[in-house]
Amino acid sequence: MRLKIVAANWKMNTRIEEGIILAQKINNFVETYPLEGKRIVLCVPFTHITEAIKVVNYKYISIGAQNCAQWEKGAYTGEVSAEMIASTGAHYVIIGHSERRKYFGESDEVLKNKVNISLKNALRPIFCVGETLEEREKSLQYKVVKAQIENALFHLDEDFLLKVVIAYEPVWAIGTGVNATPEQAQEMHAYIRNVISEKYSEYIADSITILYGGSCNSTNAKDLFSQKDVDGGLIGGASLKADEFIEIIKCL
Ligand code: PGA
């Protein structure tokens, strides 16, 4: 049985007091809701991690970061290391979000280092992949996603790969209000499993949690999550309102 996950990506939003109220509201709901085989992950700004951890029940909710440095430690002013994140008690870290690839020029090589360093520090990477609109229009989506996975994950041994959560986030769907259709998501998720199965095994491919992300909300989550190979979602904008995010959790 694959672990099902609804993960929030708060991005660069909320003052700390707003963030803590949001985390508290989600926690209050989750404590009264059956979540067996399911997990909620809140990927909050670095500044909020230690306070957010205090207000959630770790039995159901994990706290994650949205990035980590590619280096272990040292003279990298302004960077936050995987070890520092792990030392707060966080368990997840988003790696390779398209906004990091785009605005910070993070290459596959950099992301490979970040994946390695997270795993070394017992953080589970939520590794994001996805094509741009231009690439989809040229029917390059499979080629692009395959290369992203191969370049940053395929050096891992089976045990480490099993700790990685993959998030398929088509760039054209992020923050645009245009989500991938359930069929498009299912197609890509099945393809990703196939790519993993060819390199590793069917067992490994079947065991990996693959999330969908990109304009996922309480209206479309049920249809997306009910697809055979979609194990939940990575939610941006719709994770910033407690009521909306709770409705999404109910779709899992
Ligand atoms: P969105 O963002 O839900 O606002 O489209 C998803 C993400 O960027 O992870």
Side-chain angles (χ1 to χ4, degrees):
M1 262 278 278
R2 293 195 288 269
L3 180 64
K4 293 194 180 275
I5 295 176
V6 169
N9 176 10
W10 290 2
K11 308 192 181 183
M12 198 173 75
N13 291 297
T14 74
R15 292 169 53 89
I16 191 154
E17 64 274 19
E18 294 163 341
I20 297 315
I21 291 170
L22 180 55
Q24 266 164 343
K25 284 186 181 164
I26 295 160
N27 186 68
N28 290 348
F29 166 74
V30 164
E31 286 201 313
T32 63
Y33 190 77
L35 269 179
E36 223 161 286
K38 301 172 184 173
R39 182 146 277 275
I40 310 305
V41 181
L42 304 182
C43 297
V44 306
F46 288 132
T47 44
H48 299 18
I49 294 179
T50 46
E51 289 303 313
I53 282 176
K54 290 182 197 159
V55 300
V56 301
N57 185 336
Y58 66 90
K59 264 166 70 185
Y60 313 104
I61 302 184
S62 299
I63 299 298
Q66 301 168 13
N67 178 38
C68 71
Q70 60 171 312
W71 308 280
E72 235 158 273
K73 61 164 72 173
Y76 301 103
T77 303
E79 287 290 273
V80 176
S81 73
E83 188 182 18
M84 291 170 186
I85 296 166
S87 74
T88 65
H91 286 120
Y92 286 80
V93 58
I94 297 174
I95 304 280
H97 191 280
S98 66
E99 287 150 17
R100 303 281 330 164
R101 294 179 192 258
K102 182 175 167 197
Y103 301 127
F104 302 92
E106 294 188 358
S107 64
D108 288 350
E109 194 58 31
V110 165
L111 299 177
K112 180 179 173 183
N113 293 339
K114 293 189 177 197
V115 165
N116 289 343
I117 218 148
S118 325
L119 290 167
K120 196 174 157 197
N121 286 283
L123 291 174
R124 294 191 68 172
I126 300 177
F127 183 71
C128 302
V129 297
E131 80 285 358
T132 62
L133 183 59
E134 205 187 347
E135 287 160 347
R136 183 163 275 263
E137 282 171 351
K138 291 186 189 146
S139 297
L140 290 172
Q141 66 268 30
Y142 295 114
K143 197 172 165 225
V144 167
V145 167
K146 185 177 190 204
Q148 288 171 335
I149 290 177
E150 280 176 349
N151 294 341
L153 299 182
F154 272 13
H155 63 287
L156 297 173
D157 68 22
E158 291 186 356
D159 288 347
F160 272 141
L161 188 74
L162 284 172
K163 296 205 162 63
V164 177
V165 173
I166 294 175
Y168 170 54
E169 297 205 307
V171 179
W172 48 270
I174 296 177
T176 59
V178 182
N179 59 289
T181 64
E183 294 72 28
Q184 286 172 324
Q186 168 56 29
E187 234 171 27
M188 183 58 85
H189 285 223
Y191 174 75
I192 291 171
R193 277 194 218 289
N194 202 41
V195 166
I196 294 170
S197 172
E198 277 174 10
K199 164 81 178 172
Y200 293 86
S201 68
E202 214 177 306
Y203 169 77
I204 299 288
D206 272 345
S207 306
I208 288 198
T209 297
I210 308 180
L211 309 180
Y212 167 77
S215 297
C216 185
N217 57 40
S218 62
T219 311
N220 57 32
K222 186 121 208 124
D223 286 343
L224 286 160
F225 297 173
S226 62
Q227 299 298 309
K228 185 169 148 282
D229 290 298
V230 178
D231 306 314
L234 178 56
I235 321 295
S239 72
L240 291 168
K241 291 193 199 101
D243 293 346
E244 172 75 2
F245 190 63
I246 286 166
E247 288 308 309
I248 296 172
I249 293 173
K250 290 182 190 166
C251 297
L252 192 60

